Amino acid sequence: MIFFSGFFYSLFAFLFKPIGLAAKISDKSLGFVGSLSSVAQACSRIATGFLYDRIGFKPIFFTLMLLNVVTSLICYWARNHQYAYYCCILSTYVVIAGIYALFPTAVFKTFGKERGAQIYTLVLLGGLVTAFTGSFLQKVIYPIIGA
């Protein structure tokens, strides 16, 4: 789950600035939105933990994945519309934070104290594989988009 949920943001989170610069969005505004995304990421981690206690794993994960899919589908179009592109950047970082705030608690609730740490290591391995896959695809996609 973490591999496929992290596939888009592993690419976009690191390529949003070159893509934005190629679309003639100013470096200063992209830097500001990137900084604002870190604040959104912190708020998302807190909100995800709060909501997990109230409504559980599935509705939050579904919402995060829906946001992830919508963002991944519109980000190519949004690069030509500055404020829509900013929303894509912010939502990407909200999803990242939500995923990484959601999984530790769910794993420990499911597998307990004894097995939880071992299982969570395997869950994080999915993130590592996603990062390697994203890095490889960046080498392929980066020249294609001309950024």
Side-chain angles (χ1 to χ4, degrees):
M1 280 185 355
I2 203 162
F3 176 76
F4 290 112
S5 67
F7 197 71
F8 169 71
Y9 70 72
S10 70
L11 286 171
F12 189 66
F14 300 105
L15 283 177
F16 79 86
K17 196 163 186 180
I19 292 169
L21 292 172
K24 307 286 191 267
I25 299 174
S26 76
D27 185 40
K28 186 176 181 179
S29 64
L30 287 169
F32 177 74
V33 171
S35 298
L36 189 60
S37 294
S38 67
V39 174
Q41 193 174 31
C43 294
S44 177
R45 286 180 187 261
I46 294 168
T48 300
F50 176 79
L51 289 172
Y52 180 79
D53 291 338
R54 303 291 185 274
I55 61 174
F57 179 85
K58 285 182 183 179
I60 297 170
F61 189 71
F62 177 78
T63 303
L64 289 171
M65 290 304 92
L66 185 63
L67 182 60
N68 196 22
V69 167
V70 168
T71 303
S72 66
L73 292 175
I74 68 167
C75 76
Y76 186 74
W77 166 84
R79 69 186 166 85
N80 295 317
H81 305 281
Q82 185 174 355
Y83 295 106
Y85 192 65
Y86 295 162
C87 290
C88 286
I89 296 167
L90 287 168
S91 67
T92 298
Y93 281 93
V94 166
V95 169
I96 292 170
I99 294 296
Y100 284 104
L102 190 60
F103 272 94
T105 308
V107 168
F108 279 93
K109 272 189 169 181
T110 304
F111 297 102
K113 290 181 187 177
E114 296 172 12
R115 305 277 298 160
Q118 297 166 345
I119 301 296
Y120 189 64
T121 303
L122 296 174
V123 169
L124 284 180
L125 185 63
L128 178 67
V129 172
T130 301
F132 282 130
T133 306
S135 296
F136 173 74
L137 289 175
Q138 284 179 15
K139 296 292 184 186
V140 174
I141 291 174
Y142 192 77
I144 292 172
I145 63 171

